[in-house]
Amino acid sequence: MLLAACTPGRDTGTPGSATAGTPAPASGSPSAGTGSSPVPAGQLTVAGRINAGLQVPWSTVFLPDGTAIISERDSALLRTVSAGSGTAGSGGDSPAGTLGKVPDVVPGGEGGLLGLALSPDFAADRYLYAYFTAAGDNRIARLRVDEGNGQLQLGAPEIIFTGIPKASTHNGGRIRFGPDGYLYVGTGDSQRREQPQDPKALGGKILRITPEGRPAPGNPFGDNPVYSLGHRNVQGLAWDSAGRLWASEFGPDVDDELNLIVPGGNYGWPEVTGAPHRAGFRDAKVVWPSTADSSPSGLEIVGDTAYLGALRGQRVWAVPLRGEFAADPVGYFTGMYGRIRDVSLAPDGRLWVLSNGQNPDFVLVLELPG
């Protein structure tokens, strides 16, 4: 059911507490880059809620006609929500349809069917890309999404990339096509602390590959898919208005991060976390000292504001970006909707936010500031 709009919850910096009113900067404020005002113009408001009956959703992409495809981590199902479900006044529950099941997914712990990405040439090639945990590794497949008899049909997977290390935790999983047409892949260290600092290993990296799964031309380490290293568990990827890549990342028990990614950059894990100004490592642009306030997952950038879903923090963070710097984050809806897994920009200009672990899970539709 699509519920009526409401005002945002004021962030007190304490998960679970929420009161109506104007959002305020988080307590334990992450490091800011400029001294400019931290509050984006206007406020996020709730336009509606789609009770789609989802089970542990992880990622959302939108087809050209506005249909949403959502991955479910544990079931390995690709669920669909029709265009218009997030329109105010549509009313009623909107149970998700099922496009199909991705074969050979082996869920367990944080592993399963994770990130999705739509081919930039989808109108011609019809490819949907999926990152998933298999029996021996994490891998990426592409599957055709065709239309016949008025229904979407899922083709057989073509595996394009294998060998990303897996574990019960720290599997990474976010994938996204960049403005350059190449596929960027966020991986985790899979509890193998020697991997993030090794440019020949795939764990604890952001990878950059062609749509066919080869290392992309111009990568910083030659014929190697690694684009940046020293990551613990990359969870979100997005580009700002100038084409700069940003990534959200889980810290250990401290120092969740929002990073500005540069080719060949070393972000420090496991040697350092946060922004210690250590020679040879890139400082995070935003640091949440307490992971209870964030555990940032999905990331979307609209204009020059980054929006992050927080799992432990149970809120949506808005971070104004100022060129290569970031101002103080502002939290919305703290504790009101539980854990937030993903934030995605819909074709109608609203944000779709996936809840996580609500059994069943839902889509929260947010109106961006005017």
Side-chain angles (χ1 to χ4, degrees):
M1 181 173 70
L2 191 69
L3 302 180
C6 68
T7 56
R10 180 176 183 269
D11 190 342
T12 65
T14 304
S17 66
T19 58
T22 303
S27 65
S29 180
S31 57
T34 68
S36 55
S37 171
V39 182
Q43 299 180 16
L44 284 176
T45 56
V46 177
R49 170 173 161 163
I50 305 170
N51 291 324
L54 302 169
Q55 299 295 327
V56 197
W58 214 91
S59 180
T60 305
V61 295
F62 294 92
L63 299 181
D65 69 357
T67 299
I69 300 179
I70 300 173
S71 60
E72 288 187 342
R73 186 189 69 190
D74 295 347
S75 71
L77 293 176
L78 294 168
R79 309 298 303 277
T80 59
V81 178
S82 62
S85 296
T87 303
S90 62
D93 288 355
S94 299
T98 300
L99 173 60
K101 184 174 185 177
V102 178
D104 301 322
V105 176
V106 181
E110 295 175 1
L113 178 59
L114 303 176
L116 301 178
L118 210 63
S119 167
D121 297 320
F122 181 82
D125 62 33
R126 308 291 298 186
Y127 278 132
L128 172 70
Y129 288 72
Y131 181 117
F132 65 91
T133 309
D137 62 1
N138 287 296
R139 51 183 52 193
I140 301 168
R142 61 183 183 183
L143 309 91
R144 284 181 58 91
V145 179
D146 290 310
E147 192 167 0
N149 300 320
Q151 292 186 331
L152 295 174
Q153 299 172 345
L154 186 66
E158 173 192 355
I159 305 299
I160 67 158
F161 197 88
T162 61
I164 301 169
K166 64 170 280 188
S168 60
T169 59
H170 304 188
N171 288 292
R174 194 67 61 186
I175 58 175
R176 197 159 188 176
F177 278 96
D180 57 7
Y182 295 117
L183 185 64
Y184 291 73
V185 181
T187 76
D189 70 1
S190 66
Q191 303 176 28
R192 296 170 174 87
R193 292 168 66 96
E194 76 282 358
Q195 290 231 345
Q197 291 296 318
D198 181 357
K200 296 180 181 179
L202 298 178
K205 304 295 192 301
I206 293 175
L207 312 177
R208 178 175 175 262
I209 60 176
T210 69
E212 295 73 35
R214 297 290 305 159
N219 278 359
F221 300 103
D223 188 26
N224 180 328
V226 172
Y227 189 70
S228 64
L229 68 161
H231 298 286
R232 183 175 181 270
N233 195 11
V234 177
Q235 293 288 292
L237 300 167
W239 287 261
D240 64 20
S241 62
R244 290 177 287 251
L245 174 59
W246 297 76
S248 56
E249 183 167 348
F250 288 159
D253 53 349
V254 295
D255 293 348
D256 289 327
E257 299 175 353
L258 177 63
N259 286 300
L260 174 62
I261 304 301
V262 298
N266 187 331
Y267 292 82
W269 179 256
E271 303 302 321
V272 299
T273 62
H277 311 299
R278 180 86 64 85
F281 300 123
R282 307 283 302 190
D283 283 347
K285 298 299 183 179
V286 177
V287 180
W288 286 268
S290 170
T291 59
D293 288 335
S294 192
S295 297
S297 188
L299 169 66
E300 187 64 276
I301 298 176
V302 183
D304 286 304
T305 300
Y307 298 96
L308 302 91
L311 290 165
R312 287 190 66 199
Q314 298 187 15
R315 71 197 81 180
V316 175
W317 285 108
V319 183
L321 304 178
R322 307 285 189 251
E324 296 185 355
F325 300 95
D328 288 343
V330 179
Y332 290 84
F333 318 117
T334 302
M336 295 174 66
Y337 300 104
R339 292 161 60 87
I340 303 298
R341 171 61 70 181
D342 197 21
V343 181
S344 303
L345 182 65
D348 65 0
R350 292 171 169 172
L351 292 179
W352 279 34
V353 173
L354 295 180
S355 74
N356 216 232
Q358 296 297 298
N359 192 32
D361 285 300
F362 54 85
V363 179
L364 195 67
V365 182
L366 302 182
E367 196 77 51
L368 289 166

